[in-house]
Amino acid sequence: MNFAFTEDQMAFRDAVRTLLEKECPPEVVRARWEGKPTEVWASLSDMGVVGMTAPEDAGGLGMDELDLVLVLEECGRAALPEPIVEHAAVVIPALREGGGKTAQRWLPMLAAGEAVATAGLGEAPLVPDADRAALLLDDHDGCLHAVEMSACELTPLDSIDRGRPLFAAAWYAEKDTKVEADFELAFDRAALGASAQLLGLADRMISMTVEHSKEREQFGRAIGSFQAVQHRLADALLRLEFARPVVYRAAYAVARPGECAPADRSLRVSMAKAYAGDAATDAARAALQIHGAIGYSWEFDLHLFMKRAWSLAAAYGDGSFHRRRVGDWLQQREDSDA
Amino acid sequence: MDLTYSAPEAAFRAEARAWLDANVGPFRDASSNTADGFAKLREWDRLLFDARLSAVSWPEEYGGRGASLWEWLIFEEEYWAAAAPQRNSQNGIFLLAPTLFEFGTNEQRGRILPKMASGEEVWAQGWSEPNAGSDLAGLRSRAERVVEDGRGGWRLFGQKTWCSRGAFCDRLFGLFRSDPTAERHRGLTYLMVDLRAEGVEVRPVQVLDGEEGFAEVFFDGAFVPDQDVIGEPNDGWAVAMATASSERGLTLRSPGRFLATADRLVELWRARGDRSDPAVADSVVRAWMDAQAYQLFTQQAVSVLMAGEDKKMGAEASLNKVWWSELDLSIHEAALGLLGDEAQLDSDWLRGFEFALAGPIYAGTNEIQRNVIAQRLLGLPRG
Ligand SMILES: Cc1cc2nc3c(=O)[nH]c(=O)nc-3n(C[C@H](O)[C@H](O)[C@H](O)COP(=O)(O)OP(=O)(O)OC[C@H]3O[C@@H](n4cnc5c(N)ncnc54)[C@H](O)[C@@H]3O)c2cc1C
């Protein structure tokens, strides 16, 4: 038993953090809000991040969810305005498992980051970053299909987070669009990826707020010295630190299917999504409240992170959806015991 | 105790409802945070004023109806139930006007109130400064006493910030430091300023949703005549605290607003929610009940106010403020929960949620209100 990441996994995470600090500051997120292209995808591709889950013979790094989860946390911390979860956590693994011609054709391009893939797997058919993507993975009658974006009719929707713009996609299911991979697994991967990003977002908002609380003075002292402010931040940290192991446990469940039946995997992922969503939306509430009016202004960067947190907390099943799944699992477990 | 409305009160409700139904349609979607919306809402205030519905509780001579607080509450219920828009004139009518009734002169009331209620002059609140938020007494904007060509007045210097709708407003009321040698809470003067005067510069500031909902206001020698001082010079703190209790307490956020939003939440639940989900039911029902409780708390407070000589809410106003602001958030959070995945998209509920998030910040943050409750109502020692 050892519930810890390896040195290599942490070193890779640190490298991604350093890169994103440099190449994905809030100005880059704002540029995406305005529909301008960003350079950060190319840098992440060069580093191997976008193709990290692709097999080595397709040009990837052959890594799994335990490697990925820490990296996605960093992408959340930066509010990376790219479909990294859909591309690296969902589509590449589904094609890898589905095999066939689609995989042969697309995996090398996706691994190199030359083509971007996204997915539309939620309860509501909302496709993030479809404007950037060449390939869409979507579900139809419980099966997965991979469709070229040029064959989809896209309608832009009014997203609360324009760093993660959403689209409705209309397309036709055909025999050769079908991918022989498991829909439930793809959905769990998307929810896990969103959970990892939510951890990073919560962490970012908490640290921004700690900084602000040390600098901002009212009544002749730093506002961070008021107990009301301290307790609120302490609560936010408490939620984040208890969400973390739950998310890492879910990554393990997805990465080691041999040790985990599909129902147990979904249970783990649902716990992760419920906790991470709450941790991030709570951190957002605390952050805004403690920043006061400046946090409510557009010029200040907090809203970029807050809106990503709201968006991801609602994506791929919100907290109550996932708690319901946990509840269903518990009910069934009682049945089988009886 | 008698919890029934009188016949004239019922008749007034029916009149207000019919008038709102007939008139509000074209104004419902106007936003007071955009230039176009603001212009439209000036027309809306004018219509309300012409029907003597803009400020029902004011005396008739200023355009009101001399209505009781009960009738005002009834009007507010009908106003929000009709899904009428947030008004341009709210800071004037709900915050400045009560101050003028208490501390102003007859000349000021006659000159200012009718134009305020008709939407001709829209008021911004100028309290906060970059270094004076919760600690309002830390404000540094100055008012220098001058007599020029025989005319007495004040020259203003400094900066105000976070003025709601300030980019579109005509005038501003605020506190300025007039005696720099006095202790922090003294030496402040409550002034009314023309935002288009020479020496005033207004810079729009975008809020969370990108609309220009805030403004910064810079003063570089703008002139304010003596007739635009409210109360005594150097006594502005006491005057301002009266406005603060209007803002936290009754006037700014009446129960009608939340009753209406809670009813819309129930509609959403019935239309889209899984009614068998107990967690969702719990969030909806709690939010709806909290709105009801707010109405009852208000009715009780109004009864005290109407019975007593001293028609003011004290530290109890802080109880009100915490309740309505947290209630508003819980209604909107419950609605977003019902929307599920679609909460990723923009909607009236999302906009309402963003606005509700500001409630625990403006009108004195909820941390400050809890300090007041603990220290002034419970008598706990100061930290
Ligand atoms: C939507 C909106 C509209 C507004 N409109 C106006 C307007 O029209 N006119 C105007 O003048 N102002 C307006 N404001 C500004 C508002 O009055 C201030 O935001 C508020 O007073 C808080 O000040 P601050 O933002 O500087 O936060 P700060 O005072 O810096 O507070 C930051 C945090 O520290 C906490 N804190 C501070 N002191 C204490 C303490 N003693 N104990 C415990 N916690 C403490 C606060 O509660 C808060 O969480 C508006 C604000 C918003 C969000």
Side-chain angles (χ1 to χ4, degrees):
Chain A
M1 186 81 181
N2 173 24
F3 192 8
F5 290 95
T6 64
E7 296 280 326
D8 283 352
Q9 284 164 335
M10 291 190 285
F12 195 46
R13 174 201 54 200
D14 293 346
V16 172
R17 180 183 299 189
T18 308
L19 179 130
L20 289 174
E21 276 171 0
K22 200 161 130 259
E23 303 217 11
C24 191
E27 302 85 82
V28 169
V29 183
R30 285 182 188 269
R32 175 69 172 134
W33 271 71
E34 288 156 20
K36 294 182 197 145
T38 70
E39 309 277 303
V40 57
W41 186 261
S43 308
L44 287 171
S45 302
D46 291 346
M47 198 178 179
V49 172
V50 309
M52 63 188 282
T53 53
E56 288 176 42
D57 59 16
L61 300 179
M63 289 179 164
D64 67 14
E65 282 73 14
L66 283 171
D67 306 302
L68 188 59
V69 70
L70 294 181
V71 169
L72 292 179
E73 212 176 305
E74 294 312 316
C75 297
R77 181 191 313 280
L80 175 72
E82 299 286 358
I84 187 74
V85 164
E86 290 73 16
H87 181 101
V90 181
V91 182
I92 290 179
L95 294 184
R96 191 182 69 205
E97 283 152 20
K101 279 200 185 126
T102 319
Q104 257 174 24
R105 173 153 176 244
W106 283 95
L107 276 178
M109 283 190 285
L110 299 182
E114 287 156 13
V116 178
T118 186
L121 306 174
E123 296 256 274
L126 303 173
V127 183
D129 301 294
D131 57 333
R132 297 264 293 109
L135 187 71
L136 168 70
L137 186 78
D138 209 339
D139 60 302
H140 178 74
D141 279 345
C143 295
L144 291 173
H145 292 261
V147 199
E148 290 191 24
M149 209 53 94
S150 54
C152 298
E153 195 186 313
L154 292 182
T155 314
L157 303 170
D158 237 339
S159 320
I160 57 174
D161 173 13
R162 281 188 264 140
R164 184 174 173 273
L166 295 164
F167 296 79
W171 51 277
Y172 291 103
E174 320 232 1
K175 243 209 221 121
D176 65 348
T177 57
K178 197 159 169 201
V179 176
E180 298 297 336
D182 181 14
F183 166 69
E184 289 296 329
L185 176 55
F187 180 80
D188 281 351
R189 281 180 170 139
L192 170 66
S195 306
Q197 289 192 307
L198 286 160
L199 293 181
L201 283 158
D203 206 355
R204 174 68 170 260
M205 289 186 283
I206 291 171
S207 27
M208 281 177 84
T209 309
V210 168
E211 284 314 302
H212 181 78
S213 306
K214 289 183 191 162
E215 277 161 28
R216 170 76 172 167
E217 290 189 5
Q218 289 287 277
F219 304 99
R221 46 200 265 210
I223 58 164
S225 69
F226 296 119
Q227 220 163 48
V229 170
Q230 293 178 347
H231 284 189
R232 188 131 196 182
L233 274 167
D235 280 341
L237 184 67
L238 195 63
R239 280 201 183 256
L240 170 60
E241 293 307 336
F242 276 80
R244 238 182 243 291
V246 183
V247 174
Y248 300 156
R249 178 66 181 84
Y252 183 87
V254 177
R256 305 282 169 84
E259 296 175 37
C260 198
D264 298 339
R265 177 200 72 220
S266 292
L267 165 81
R268 292 295 173 186
V269 168
S270 281
M271 288 173 62
K273 184 67 181 18
Y275 271 93
D278 281 357
T281 48
D282 257 41
R285 275 285 288 121
L288 179 61
Q289 184 64 24
I290 294 170
H291 277 84
I294 195 164
Y296 205 77
S297 72
W298 180 265
E299 284 163 275
F300 197 77
D301 293 326
L302 178 63
H303 74 99
L304 303 172
F305 301 96
M306 232 164 31
K307 288 170 183 169
R308 180 65 54 82
W310 296 337
S311 179
L312 289 178
Y316 307 119
D318 66 2
S320 76
F321 170 91
H322 284 287
R323 277 186 291 270
R324 214 154 41 226
R325 278 213 316 183
V326 175
D328 290 347
W329 185 92
L330 288 170
Q331 292 266 347
Q332 276 155 20
R333 190 188 66 162
E334 265 171 24
D335 285 348
S336 63
D337 283 353
Chain B
M1 200 176 281
D2 171 12
L3 298 181
T4 57
Y5 289 108
S6 68
E9 283 162 352
F12 174 63
R13 185 188 290 281
E15 182 202 334
R17 181 175 301 180
W19 188 90
L20 287 161
D21 272 355
N23 291 283
V24 73
F27 300 98
R28 275 206 181 105
D29 295 329
S31 161
S32 58
N33 287 352
T34 65
D36 287 352
F38 196 88
K40 197 131 205 237
L41 290 170
R42 270 193 209 268
E43 285 174 44
W44 173 234
D45 273 333
R46 179 79 222 184
L47 270 186
L48 283 161
F49 183 71
D50 290 343
R52 288 192 171 266
L53 288 171
S54 181
V56 293
S57 61
W58 292 4
E60 290 184 23
E61 55 180 314
Y62 305 126
R65 298 181 172 222
S68 69
L69 276 175
W70 295 122
E71 286 165 320
W72 175 71
L73 288 173
I74 288 171
F75 177 75
E76 285 278 308
E77 284 171 23
E78 294 303 322
Y79 186 88
W80 296 106
Q86 172 127 297
R87 293 176 64 185
N88 278 353
S89 52
Q90 57 173 319
N91 281 355
I93 292 176
F94 296 138
L95 307 180
L96 177 57
T99 310
L100 284 172
F101 283 119
E102 196 174 340
F103 297 94
T105 63
N106 276 329
E107 184 277 325
Q108 287 172 332
R109 287 191 279 266
R111 176 160 54 89
I112 291 164
L113 292 175
K115 285 185 189 166
M116 174 194 289
S118 69
E120 190 182 333
E121 263 180 14
V122 186
W123 289 83
Q125 182 188 34
W127 284 17
S128 305
E129 297 181 5
N131 291 310
S134 297
D135 184 13
L136 181 60
L139 66 89
R140 293 178 196 165
S141 294
R142 287 178 294 128
E144 286 179 10
R145 175 77 195 149
V146 292
V147 179
E148 292 168 2
D149 304 330
R151 207 159 64 123
W154 307 79
R155 292 257 172 214
L156 306 186
F157 300 89
Q159 181 194 351
K160 295 288 175 185
T161 191
W162 318 127
C163 301
S164 292
R165 298 168 291 280
F168 315 113
C169 285
D170 307 298
R171 307 198 70 192
L172 171 142
F173 58 92
L175 276 186
F176 294 82
R177 194 162 291 287
S178 43
D179 179 359
T181 62
E183 182 260 331
R184 272 159 47 94
H185 296 84
R186 299 184 205 282
L188 301 173
T189 298
Y190 198 127
L191 295 168
M192 298 183 284
V193 195
D194 181 352
L195 285 174
R196 308 228 160 70
E198 214 179 298
V200 180
E201 193 197 324
V202 178
R203 188 179 83 89
V205 173
Q206 291 169 291
V207 293
L208 215 51
D209 63 8
E211 289 184 347
E212 293 181 338
F214 285 144
E216 289 178 314
V217 183
F218 299 89
F219 303 97
D220 186 15
F223 181 77
V224 174
D226 279 339
Q227 60 174 3
D228 284 338
V229 175
I230 309 182
E232 292 301 315
N234 295 332
D235 196 27
W237 185 258
V239 180
M241 286 306 103
T243 313
S245 88
S246 300
E247 187 172 19
R248 287 162 197 173
L250 269 187
T251 56
L252 187 68
R253 297 285 180 256
S254 72
R257 181 185 185 112
F258 307 109
L259 291 169
T261 318
D263 279 341
R264 277 192 274 282
L265 170 65
V266 172
E267 274 167 39
L268 181 73
W269 181 44
R270 292 164 63 144
R272 335 202 1 168
D274 171 1
R275 283 191 234 177
S276 64
D277 187 327
V280 172
D282 205 56
S283 68
V284 171
V285 172
R286 258 177 206 278
W288 185 86
M289 284 171 46
D290 284 352
Q292 298 288 315
Y294 183 47
Q295 182 184 36
L296 297 174
F297 183 91
T298 303
Q299 289 173 344
Q300 191 178 276
V302 164
S303 300
V304 173
L305 291 182
M306 291 192 49
E309 300 282 281
D310 183 18
K311 290 194 181 182
K312 264 170 95 175
M313 257 185 146
E316 289 78 12
S318 294
L319 294 173
N320 249 51
K321 202 264 151 162
V322 170
W323 192 267
W324 65 247
S325 57
E326 293 182 359
L327 154 67
D328 201 21
L329 258 175
S330 62
I331 298 174
H332 287 91
E333 279 169 352
L336 293 178
L338 285 167
L339 294 180
D341 276 27
E342 280 176 47
Q344 296 171 79
L345 299 177
D346 201 359
S347 65
D348 286 348
W349 283 112
L350 195 275
R351 299 246 156 177
F353 171 64
E354 288 186 344
F355 185 64
L357 279 169
I361 300 172
Y362 64 76
T365 69
N366 284 13
E367 286 74 23
I368 297 293
Q369 306 307 325
R370 285 187 162 91
N371 289 347
V372 171
I373 293 168
Q375 290 160 15
R376 309 239 321 263
L377 295 180
L378 295 173
L380 290 166
R382 285 171 165 274

